[in-house]
Amino acid sequence: MSTLAAARPMPVDRVRQSLVIAGTVVALVGAVVGSGFAGGTPIPEVAGGALSADATLLAPAGPAFAIWSVIYAGLVAYAIWQALPSQAARERQRRAGFWVLASLLLNAAWILSVQAGQLALSVVAILALLVVLVVAFVILRRNPGDSTADGILLDGVIGLYLGWVMVASVANVTSLLQVAGFDGFGGSPHAWAIGMLAAFTVIGCALAVWDGGRFAPAVASAWGLAWIGVSRLTGSLPSAPVAITAFAGAALILLVALAVRVARPTGGRRR
């Protein structure tokens, strides 16, 4: 028997499992509202269109947000899996479970804030979400899983979640700065966008090196960057230099993740 599964369940374990289920339901309700159903306003239309695909040079095209369907499906699968009796006392679930719960609630808080047109509050929520996901990701890396389910439903889902929220955070902060009237100290908006994309690419590559080339965060980050590039080529706010930088960043992050994975093939399950 795995040492990670040898502990006996405690009441707090049952509480954690139940709260994660409840948090998942809250996040799903928020997603339905944010999509425009159930009386909500579609995200691209809130706050005067500040989060639309053509609001800033760093806004991804609309299809990019389809990744949320994959993330939510993964979170639902995780919530069901972690609620199994066999998962109650596992140390990995104990260490990560409440952080995943926090991410679910912050996700819903972000949607609620943008639905209320509170762009500044939405930035606070998404940056808090980013911090929580970073902590969860670090915890999972320091406490490797011992099954395929671990690799997919924890490492994979959280990695995908983190990679996308990194991109969404940049887009959200940029929208707030534009609404606040920030002019880049007189510099070119295109130069600023290119600089931010370059910095993001460096961070994405550093993450790929640090985490041993896990594909999930690299793919999600590259997905977001690629759709920023598409938006700058096909939308009403065109910029070929920004598009090229975004595409190059996406490709570089994937290449670095692949190179690290090939160079370091051992070291636990990776997604």
Side-chain angles (χ1 to χ4, degrees):
M1 178 182 294
S2 166
T3 56
L4 293 178
R8 296 175 63 88
M10 297 186 294
V12 69
D13 295 319
R14 305 303 186 189
V15 170
R16 184 194 70 245
Q17 289 177 304
S18 299
L19 287 177
V20 168
I21 290 288
T24 303
V25 172
V26 170
L28 289 175
V29 170
V32 171
V33 173
S35 68
F37 293 104
T41 303
I43 298 298
E45 299 175 13
V46 300
L51 298 175
S52 67
D54 295 313
T56 73
L57 290 169
L58 295 178
F65 297 92
I67 195 174
W68 274 120
S69 298
V70 180
I71 293 171
Y72 282 124
L75 288 170
V76 169
Y78 163 75
I80 295 171
W81 172 64
Q82 64 85 39
L84 298 176
S86 62
Q87 298 300 312
R90 290 188 66 223
E91 188 63 23
R92 204 168 196 240
Q93 299 287 8
R94 286 173 170 171
R95 290 179 181 272
F98 283 110
W99 291 101
V100 177
L101 171 63
S103 79
L104 293 165
L105 298 179
L106 285 168
N107 192 324
W110 181 83
I111 293 175
L112 180 63
S113 62
V114 296
Q115 286 291 312
Q118 298 297 317
L119 200 58
L121 189 58
S122 76
V123 167
V124 173
I126 202 165
L127 292 180
L129 173 58
L130 179 61
V131 170
V132 164
L133 289 173
V134 168
V135 172
F137 192 77
V138 171
I139 287 172
L140 293 176
R141 188 183 184 283
R142 291 178 176 174
N143 299 270
D146 59 356
S147 69
T148 299
D150 274 293
I152 296 174
L153 299 179
L154 262 176
D155 299 298
V157 171
I158 297 304
L160 203 67
Y161 200 178
L162 171 61
W164 171 249
V165 169
M166 287 169 60
V167 177
S169 297
V170 171
N172 205 163
V173 170
T174 304
S175 296
L176 176 62
L177 291 174
Q178 180 159 300
V179 169
F182 178 68
D183 65 356
F185 304 109
S188 166
H190 299 267
W192 272 94
I194 290 171
M196 291 183 70
L197 288 172
F200 182 94
T201 300
V202 171
I203 293 171
C205 291
L207 177 62
V209 172
W210 178 79
D211 69 14
R214 294 182 188 272
F215 283 143
V219 167
S221 294
W223 169 269
L225 289 179
W227 281 106
I228 290 174
V230 170
S231 190
R232 299 291 67 79
L233 291 180
T234 63
S236 62
L237 191 61
S239 175
V242 172
I244 292 171
T245 304
F247 289 135
L252 186 58
I253 289 173
L254 290 176
L255 287 173
V256 169
L258 179 60
V260 172
R261 194 177 182 94
V262 170
R264 298 165 55 187
T266 59
R269 297 177 181 273
R270 298 175 185 160
R271 291 294 183 272

